[in-house]
Amino acid sequence: MTFSLQLNQAWQEQLASEFEQPYFKKLVTFLEQEIITQTIYPSPHHLIFNAFEQCHPKEVKVVIIGQDPYHGAGQANGLCFAVNDGVKIPPSLKNIFKEIQADLGIAIPQSGNLERWAKQGVLLLNTILTVRANQPASHRRQGWEQFTDAVIRLISAKPEPIVFLLWGKDAQQKGKMVDDNKHYLLQSAHPSPLSCKNFFGNQHFSKTNRYLQQHGKKLINW
């Protein structure tokens, strides 16, 4: 099976040089083999680049960095932390919603679908964009990290200020590629049940909106 780059045209143009790199060609070969021999998520596979499909590069105001996709059937949809309508809300996302409720007084939604955030300019980017079923981190060190590094550098190079929400050590490592003289980096523990006690109270959602307001940008309706 051939792995196709189903990526928003604007992103495809901006990232064209990455797709020609040896590491990316090796990644594509790996994915083509995985698709034949394994169950991989997100599925259907056009959702692998869903974060880019839902958020045009010119509209990015906020970047949230996740790890790798959910590895259970029917969960991963290409947006970090998110699940589709009708899918049980995972614990980390539930904790994100709890913090939004505490921070902004917004009721916890019934759905974990975050497309509405993406449409407002929130890039929901996982560090690794694919995973084998029931095997977390199984596509680590295959080239995705290098690709998402390039995405973050591309966004950091933009002239307009952008908010980066970095939760947990993996996301904070990515933050090292961001120009913090130009952009706003908010860091805290990861919202997973293992570390959420240090995630709660970070007020990242009100801080993000305050920053956007100060820079004349439309607030995110969390």
Side-chain angles (χ1 to χ4, degrees):
M1 181 176 179
T2 303
F3 177 75
S4 61
L5 274 173
Q6 298 185 5
L7 193 60
N8 175 297
Q9 184 67 32
W11 282 109
Q12 197 149 342
E13 288 170 5
Q14 293 192 22
L15 292 164
S17 61
E18 289 305 306
F19 303 136
E20 299 305 316
Q21 298 291 330
Y23 86 85
F24 198 87
K25 291 180 177 179
K26 191 175 173 185
L27 171 62
V28 168
T29 301
F30 167 76
L31 290 171
E32 287 176 345
Q33 188 62 26
E34 286 285 283
I35 289 167
I36 292 167
T37 61
Q38 306 288 333
T39 299
I40 75 163
Y41 300 130
S43 182
H45 299 134
H46 70 83
L47 293 174
I48 290 169
F49 293 105
N50 196 28
F52 304 95
E53 198 59 40
Q54 299 295 335
C55 187
H56 192 281
K58 285 185 177 176
E59 293 167 3
V60 175
K61 296 189 287 192
V62 179
V63 179
I64 299 178
I65 300 174
Q67 294 174 4
D68 62 342
Y70 295 122
H71 55 85
Q75 289 185 298
N77 66 5
L79 305 178
C80 72
F81 294 106
V83 291
N84 287 335
D85 294 329
V87 178
K88 185 180 178 184
I89 297 175
S92 290
L93 182 55
K94 199 172 282 185
N95 288 335
I96 290 168
F97 287 157
K98 284 179 182 175
E99 176 57 25
I100 292 170
Q101 183 181 45
D103 188 15
L104 294 170
I106 295 170
I108 293 174
Q110 298 298 306
S111 171
N113 188 333
L114 301 181
E115 279 185 17
R116 58 193 176 82
W117 291 4
K119 298 293 189 192
Q120 297 177 76
V122 182
L123 182 67
L124 294 159
L125 181 69
N126 274 317
T127 304
I128 300 162
L129 302 191
T130 54
V131 68
R132 277 188 192 178
N134 307 313
Q135 295 184 44
S138 47
H139 284 184
R140 185 176 280 172
R141 291 189 288 276
Q142 297 295 338
W144 279 130
E145 295 94 335
Q146 200 168 336
F147 175 71
T148 51
D149 282 356
V151 173
I152 292 165
R153 281 195 296 269
L154 176 73
I155 295 168
S156 180
K158 291 178 179 292
E160 65 275 10
I162 288 165
V163 184
F164 288 80
L165 303 184
L166 308 174
W167 302 329
K169 288 179 182 174
D170 286 357
Q172 287 162 19
Q173 286 295 113
K174 290 282 192 188
K176 291 176 181 176
M177 281 165 292
V178 178
D179 180 354
D180 60 1
N181 292 314
K182 183 173 27 170
H183 305 295
Y184 188 34
L185 277 64
L186 289 169
Q187 304 187 46
S188 81
H190 194 274
S192 88
L194 296 173
S195 54
C196 62
K197 69 179 191 297
N198 295 316
F199 172 81
F200 291 138
N202 66 26
Q203 299 183 327
H204 281 185
F205 305 95
S206 61
K207 288 174 181 175
T208 294
N209 275 351
R210 201 173 304 123
Y211 183 82
L212 292 175
Q213 186 174 38
Q214 286 167 357
H215 289 83
K217 296 189 177 189
K218 193 173 180 183
L219 308 190
I220 304 297
N221 179 10
W222 299 106

